[in-house]
Amino acid sequence: MLPVGLGCMRLSTDAERDRERALATLRAAREAGVTLFDTAAAYGHGERDRHHNEELLAEAFEDRAGLTLVTKAGMARRGRGAKAGWLPDGRRKALFKDAERSARVLGPPDLLLLHAPDPRTPLATSARALAALEKQGLALAVGLANVTRTQLDQARDHMDVAAVQVALSPFDDEAAHGGVVARAQALGIPVLAHSPLGGPARRGRAARDEELAFLAEARGTTAETLVLAWLRSLGVVPLPGARRPETARLAGHAARLVLRDDERALLDERFPVGALLRTPKGSRRPRAPRGEVVLFVGLPAAGKSTRAKALEGEGYLRLSRDERGGSLAGLAQALGETLDEGAGRVLLDATHPTRAQRSRVVETAWSRGAGVRCLWLKTELGEARKNAVARMLQRYGEVLGPEAMKAAQKTDPTAFPPRAQQRYLEVFEPPQDDEGFEAIDVVPFDRPPRPGTRRGLLVELAQLAPRFPGPLALEALEAAEADAVLVFGWVPGVDAEAAREAFAPAAARGAELALCAHEAGPLRCWCRPPLPGLVLPWLLRHDVGALVARTTSAGGRALAESFGASVR
C-alpha cells in the first residue's frame, strides 16, 4: 500500500522560534507510521539557511532504518531584501554543490530530485548531471520535481527517473490535466504529490468543503485525512506539510484509512482529479461528436486574429479571451456554458501553450458531447515579433516604449511586452495526438514578399562609431546604391539630442538614425536588436523591397536576417 509522506518545508520556519517543536513534529510523524520525508537544500529562510531543513531531519532521525528521505537540488537565491526569492538553477555545478552538501548532512539521500526545471539551462544538461550524481553515489536514486509531461519524456532520454513530484490536490489539478501524472504511472514511476491540501494559499479549504465535511464526520475523521486517503487511492503519495506533532500524526492516520467504493466514487465526481486519473481517457471521449470546438495553439501575434475572422465567416461562434479577459480556465468554463446553450461550432480565440490548458478545453467539450480540433499556427518567433510591432504601429502609430506599453496594457488586451512571447516558448508543449483531438491542423506562417521596389541599406551604428556619440566613419555609407539608408543600434541611456547632433554628418548624406536607448537586462522594449522595432517602421515608411545590411554583432545580424537582408 502506498505511504503518506511528510512535507518538511514549513518546519524550518518553526525552528527559528521553537526548534524542539520542529524536531518533535518529525518524530511524531514517524511514530504515527509516516516513513517518507520530503525536504530540499533550499528549504530555509534564505541563502544563509541553505540545507537547514535537511539538518533538522538529520538531528531528528539519527537512525534512518525504514525511512525514505527525499531531498531536492537546484535552486538559487536571487535579489535582495523584500524582493529576494528562490529561482531554479539547473547548471551542473549548482546541482553538484547542493548534492555534495546534502550527502554530508543527511548521508546519500534515498531520492534526489531536480527541484524545478531551469529555463536558462537545457533540461538535458540537468538530467545528465543527476545521472552522474547517482553514478557517483551522492544519491541512491534521482528524479524530477515540478515538471510537465513533455519535460518528463525529455529527461528520460538522459537519466533513469525514479520518481516525479508535482503539486496535486483536489484544488490543484494542473498536473493531472497536463498528463504528467498519468504518464509517470503508465511508466511505473512513483508520483509524489506536494501541497495535497492546496498549500498555504488554500489552507482550510478542505475543512470548509461541505461534502468533505459530511463524509469525514460519517467516518469519524477529518476532511484533511479523507483527502489524503483519497489521493492515495488514486495511486500517488501525498506529502502534507505539518508544523505541530498533532498535525503530523494525521498523516499517519491517513496512511491507514481505506475508503469504500461509494466514498471514492463521490469524491471522484466532486473533484476533476478523480475522473482524470481513475477513468480511462478513451471512455470519456464522445464516440460520435455532436459538435466541434476549434482550439488555437500558437505564439502571441502568431496570426490568430486573421484565422479567427475566417472561421467566423464559416459560422463558428467566437469566444475571445481578449474581449472577455480572465484566465484560460475561465475561457474553458465559458465554453461549457456556450455548449450548454446549444452552440454547435465554437472557436476559442486564445493561444493554449500547455497540455494542461488544452486538456481543460478537451474535457469540457467531451462532457457536452463535442469534439475538439486543434489549429496549430506554427509561426516562428521572429515573424510573430514583426506581427506584434506591425499591429502596434497600426493601432498607435509608433513603437511603444516600456512605460507606454505598460499603460496600454491596462485597456488594450492585445498589447504585450516582448517577454510574453518568450514566456510562451518557455512553457510551450507541442500538441500531440494522445491529447484527444479529432485532428491537429498545422498552419505554417507565410508572409507575402514585401511589395516595395525601393532598395534599402541597413548599417549597424558600430560600423560608423564603435563608441557613440563620437566621430563617425562615414566610409560605411559611401558607394551605397540604396534609395533609403537606416543606421540602427542599441546605446543604453544615450541622450537623444546629443545623438542627433553627433549623427548630423550622416544625416546630411540622407541616412536616418534609429536607436534603442533602453537599459540592459531582460527585454522590456520592442526596439532592442534583434527585435524589429527599429527597422520595421522605416521599411514601411520608405516602401523598401530589396535590403542589404552591414553588421557584425549577433543581434544586428539576426535582426537583418529576419527581414531577409543580404548581410555584408
Side-chain angles (χ1 to χ4, degrees):
M1 196 67 177
L2 290 172
V4 172
L6 191 76
C8 302
M9 179 177 67
R10 295 168 68 197
L11 293 176
S12 285
T13 302
D14 265 11
E16 286 289 305
R17 299 190 298 270
D18 190 343
R19 187 178 185 85
E20 287 306 313
R21 187 173 77 176
L23 295 172
T25 299
L26 289 169
R27 291 165 181 152
R30 183 177 190 177
E31 291 168 2
V34 174
T35 58
L36 188 149
F37 293 83
D38 177 73
T39 181
Y43 287 173
H45 295 287
E47 191 62 38
R48 64 184 176 86
D49 290 325
R50 201 175 189 86
H51 301 275
H52 174 271
N53 204 257
E54 295 172 332
E55 292 169 358
L56 284 177
L57 267 68
E59 184 175 349
F61 305 135
E62 294 182 11
D63 177 11
R64 284 176 52 173
L67 299 183
T68 298
L69 300 187
V70 181
T71 192
K72 297 180 281 293
M75 296 290 278
R77 193 75 171 175
R78 308 291 188 193
R80 294 183 179 180
K83 295 184 178 180
W86 292 102
L87 293 175
D89 187 349
R91 296 172 300 163
R92 179 184 176 91
K93 68 176 183 180
L95 296 176
F96 265 79
K97 183 178 179 181
D98 274 351
E100 287 165 354
R101 185 169 173 185
S102 294
R104 289 197 299 271
V105 172
L106 286 174
D110 299 285
L111 180 61
L112 173 69
L113 307 177
L114 175 68
H115 204 138
D118 178 1
R120 299 165 302 173
T121 303
L123 184 59
T125 298
S126 302
R128 287 193 291 265
L130 289 169
L133 289 167
E134 180 182 11
K135 187 174 182 179
Q136 293 183 25
L138 290 169
L140 302 184
V142 291
L144 305 165
N146 303 304
V147 291
T148 64
R149 151 80 183 262
T150 301
Q151 290 167 336
L152 169 59
D153 285 340
Q154 290 172 347
R156 289 181 60 243
D157 290 337
H158 307 281
M159 62 181 285
D160 292 328
V161 180
V164 169
Q165 184 180 133
V166 291
L168 188 69
S169 79
F171 320 111
D172 186 349
D173 53 16
E174 188 84 0
H177 270 294
V180 63
V181 178
R183 177 64 168 162
Q185 290 178 332
L187 294 169
I189 298 173
V191 177
L192 313 180
H194 73 74
S195 309
L197 300 174
R202 298 182 177 90
R203 190 180 308 158
R205 185 169 175 179
R208 294 191 298 270
D209 187 283
E210 292 183 1
E211 289 190 45
L212 283 174
F214 174 80
L215 283 179
E217 183 178 1
R219 288 298 300 264
T221 187
T222 67
E224 292 85 355
T225 303
L226 199 68
V227 166
L228 298 178
W230 175 67
L231 287 171
R232 286 175 60 246
S233 78
L234 293 171
V236 303
V237 178
L239 301 172
R243 299 175 68 176
R244 303 185 307 276
E246 53 269 31
T247 308
R249 293 188 185 99
L250 291 176
H253 297 162
R256 297 188 292 274
L257 179 63
V258 178
L259 300 182
R260 300 191 307 267
D261 289 345
D262 62 317
E263 292 171 326
R264 286 196 299 270
L266 195 154
L267 292 174
D268 287 355
E269 184 178 353
R270 173 72 179 82
F271 301 111
V273 171
L276 290 170
L277 297 185
R278 207 186 308 275
T279 308
K281 195 164 190 173
S283 66
R284 301 197 301 274
R285 183 174 191 161
R287 294 186 179 181
R290 298 190 301 273
E292 183 186 59
V293 175
V294 174
L295 177 150
F296 278 177
V297 172
L299 278 162
K304 65 182 178 66
S305 296
T306 302
R307 293 286 171 180
K309 288 179 182 177
L311 288 169
E312 280 188 292
E314 297 174 16
Y316 284 82
L317 176 63
R318 181 181 182 184
L319 297 182
S320 173
R321 185 186 175 195
D322 289 344
E323 297 173 2
R324 291 170 172 264
S327 64
L328 289 178
L331 192 62
Q333 182 177 349
L335 169 65
E337 296 167 356
T338 301
L339 293 173
D340 287 340
E341 292 168 359
R345 304 174 83 194
V346 183
L347 161 68
L348 291 190
D349 182 8
T351 54
H352 294 73
T354 71
R355 290 177 63 105
Q357 292 163 346
R358 300 192 290 264
S359 172
R360 286 190 170 84
V361 173
V362 170
E363 295 291 340
T364 299
W366 283 1
S367 67
R368 274 80 173 178
V372 181
R373 176 163 61 98
C374 175
L375 197 64
W376 182 5
L377 304 177
K378 207 168 184 181
T379 305
E380 298 298 326
L381 176 60
E383 297 300 324
R385 284 172 166 172
K386 284 188 277 188
N387 287 345
V389 171
R391 183 168 62 189
M392 198 184 313
L393 291 170
Q394 185 177 27
R395 181 161 298 192
Y396 299 102
E398 62 178 340
V399 177
L400 301 179
E403 296 308 317
M405 175 61 68
K406 188 182 296 185
Q409 286 179 273
K410 295 178 181 178
T411 56
D412 182 1
T414 68
F416 55 84
R419 178 65 181 142
Q421 291 177 324
Q422 194 60 45
R423 281 197 300 268
Y424 184 99
L425 292 176
E426 289 172 1
V427 303
F428 177 60
E429 298 176 89
Q432 294 182 311
D433 292 334
D434 67 351
E435 294 182 56
F437 298 120
E438 301 302 312
I440 300 175
D441 298 334
V442 179
V443 183
F445 185 79
D446 185 18
R447 188 182 300 279
R450 287 192 301 275
T453 57
R454 305 187 75 204
R455 296 165 300 176
L457 172 67
L458 292 176
V459 180
E460 191 167 16
L461 180 62
Q463 301 285 305
L464 301 183
R467 294 184 180 182
F468 188 78
L472 301 180
L474 298 179
E475 294 81 5
L477 301 178
E478 292 179 354
E481 296 181 0
D483 301 307
V485 179
L486 178 71
V487 178
F488 70 94
W490 175 39
V491 189
V494 68
D495 177 78
E497 187 61 36
R500 280 194 294 270
E501 183 177 341
F503 190 72
R509 297 191 178 206
E512 295 182 33
L513 178 67
L515 295 183
C516 171
H518 299 115
E519 62 188 23
L523 282 171
R524 298 176 59 240
C525 67
W526 285 97
C527 52
R528 188 200 305 178
L531 272 70
L534 295 180
V535 173
L536 186 57
W538 171 81
L539 279 176
L540 297 175
R541 190 167 60 250
H542 290 282
D543 193 30
V544 170
L547 192 60
V548 173
R550 294 175 180 171
T551 174
T552 55
S553 74
R557 176 177 287 272
L559 174 60
E561 290 178 346
S562 73
F563 284 101
S566 172
V567 180
R568 299 176 182 175

